[in-house]
Amino acid sequence: MTEHRLGINPGFLTKHQLGLVGLEQSNSKKLLTEIDALSWVDRVWLTAEKQTIKISYEASHHSIDELIAIVEKHGASIKDSWWSQTKLGWQRQTDENIKNNAKHEPHCCNKVPSGNKHR
């Protein structure tokens, strides 16, 4: 069993990999430090040689777009290839599904019936 950071719900954990452009030695350390400091990020792996970042985070209240904003703030950007944009669309859909599942209230068998009183 993998250990997660305090406050991370593994049921809503997702892992995404992004190809980057403009990642350099000067901005990679700051980028990694800022993302790793976020309370909803479980783990982050940055490979400067391959220009990739792998991020594992809780998507119940956050999305990949928040991470992309941080990447762009540090002077890098997401690859603009067809494949990268397709994967990004899937990642956004995954985040949305996780967020919707986190808000969903069970309708039948998985919740305590209201008005069930023991006598």
Side-chain angles (χ1 to χ4, degrees):
M1 186 168 189
T2 306
E3 298 225 2
H4 301 285
R5 288 187 180 176
L6 187 65
I8 298 290
N9 182 340
F12 301 126
L13 202 61
T14 187
K15 187 190 297 183
H16 297 309
Q17 180 171 328
L18 300 168
L20 304 176
V21 176
L23 187 65
E24 299 171 3
Q25 194 81 20
S26 59
N27 61 358
S28 63
K29 186 81 168 171
K30 291 177 185 176
L31 173 65
L32 183 64
T33 303
E34 183 172 348
I35 291 176
D36 198 39
L38 299 171
S39 63
W40 46 276
V41 171
D42 191 39
R43 288 192 172 76
V44 60
W45 302 267
L46 187 66
T47 309
E49 300 84 34
K50 292 184 177 182
Q51 298 273 309
T52 59
I53 188 167
K54 235 187 242 185
I55 308 164
S56 176
Y57 64 97
E58 186 177 338
S60 60
H61 300 301
H62 302 281
S63 72
I64 193 80
D65 292 319
E66 294 174 59
L67 296 165
I68 291 171
I70 295 170
V71 167
E72 290 173 347
K73 179 177 119 179
H74 289 281
S77 61
I78 306 304
K79 279 186 184 176
D80 196 26
S81 69
W82 174 85
W83 182 239
S84 292
Q85 294 303 312
T86 301
K87 285 194 320 183
L88 186 57
W90 290 336
Q91 293 164 343
R92 285 181 174 132
Q93 182 65 44
T94 300
D95 287 352
E96 187 178 331
N97 286 344
I98 292 171
K99 197 174 289 188
N100 290 340
N101 287 338
K103 293 178 190 175
H104 178 72
E105 282 198 38
H107 60 277
C108 175
C109 304
N110 294 330
K111 71 176 185 180
V112 179
S114 61
N116 187 9
K117 297 179 183 174
H118 297 285
R119 293 183 187 191

